[in-house]
Amino acid sequence: MLAESVGTGLLVTIVVGSGIMAQRLSPDDVGLQLLQNSLTTALGLAVLILALGPVSGAHFNPVVSLVDWWVSRGTPHGLPVRDVAPYLAAQVVGGIAGTVLAGAMFDTASALSTTDRASAGALLGEVVATAGLILVIFALARSGRGAVTAAAVGGYIGAAYWFTSSTSFANPAVTIARMFTDTFAGIAPASVGPFLLAQLLGAILGLGLVLVLYPTPARSTAAAVAPQPAAQL
């Protein structure tokens, strides 16, 4: 639980903190701000997965935890149902703490965001971003290529910042946390609910693709995101 909370918190700190820094360094160039924000997030996420994956599987994302539980239910591998709620709680609490930490570092007071993002196009972007994320993670898990998941997930999220209209939140915990910063990375409270629904739909679609393309059960997300030592497998 600590690894999931710290990992999600640091991920949000990376997203929000780099967004604030980008605004200050490039105040008149939104494209450059997005480049700075996306590159930092991609690199930071990959590092966090490598560092904390052996402890918790480095989900840092409620939809990843839910899908991991679903695909591994009835087996001795993956996330047990008793751990689903604690994982989700740890991720949300950690994410909110990450927003507060980023604001404190940059002397930016925490405040509810005023950035409305819930357009039809942005919601479709969240469906696509989340479905793609689930497909990447679990396709690598089921094909025995878990060792490259950190780089692949970081690369995918960095790319999805640019090819999705929503800039790829793809994470309910991060979405909730970003509600508490009225900066470049923020999302208005009214947009959070629609984003969460879009992410859930995207996760379901991504899971469907995984089950069709890789129907044979294999290693769990915990092993896929960052292979655990042999003694823990």
Side-chain angles (χ1 to χ4, degrees):
M1 299 308 103
L2 179 61
E4 283 297 299
S5 185
V6 170
T8 310
L10 288 176
L11 173 58
V12 174
T13 301
I14 290 167
V15 173
V16 175
S18 64
I20 296 172
M21 180 66 83
Q23 277 187 311
R24 294 182 179 180
L25 293 176
S26 309
D28 301 317
D29 193 331
V30 177
L32 186 54
Q33 291 174 13
L34 186 61
L35 177 62
Q36 294 160 342
N37 192 212
S38 62
L39 179 60
T40 304
T41 300
L43 294 174
L45 177 56
V47 171
L48 289 173
I49 291 172
L50 288 173
L52 297 174
V55 180
S56 68
H59 293 188
F60 311 149
N61 187 331
V63 294
V64 173
S65 298
L66 288 170
V67 172
D68 184 37
W69 160 70
W70 179 261
V71 298
S72 62
R73 68 195 189 285
T75 73
H77 307 291
L79 189 66
V81 66
R82 67 178 181 275
D83 290 342
V84 172
Y87 258 55
L88 269 57
Q91 292 157 357
V92 172
V93 171
I96 294 172
T99 300
V100 174
L101 175 60
M105 287 195 297
F106 287 93
D107 296 317
T108 301
S110 296
L112 291 177
S113 176
T114 57
T115 304
D116 184 10
R117 298 180 182 266
S119 67
L123 295 177
L124 178 58
E126 275 303 283
V127 172
V128 172
T130 309
L133 177 63
I134 295 299
L135 177 60
V136 168
I137 292 173
F138 288 90
L140 292 175
R142 292 192 162 216
S143 60
R145 294 174 292 166
V148 302
T149 302
V153 171
Y156 174 79
I157 290 298
Y161 259 83
W162 291 90
F163 75 75
T164 65
S165 53
S166 64
T167 66
S168 184
F169 283 50
N171 186 327
V174 170
T175 303
I176 292 170
R178 288 169 65 170
M179 177 175 63
F180 296 100
T181 177
D182 194 18
T183 63
F184 180 77
I187 177 172
S191 297
V192 171
F195 261 55
L196 298 185
L197 291 175
Q199 291 158 1
L200 182 58
L201 176 58
I204 293 171
L205 292 176
L207 174 58
L209 285 172
V210 170
L211 295 178
V212 171
L213 296 173
Y214 296 90
T216 304
R219 291 183 295 173
S220 69
T221 304
V225 171
Q228 299 180 13
Q232 297 183 29
L233 293 177

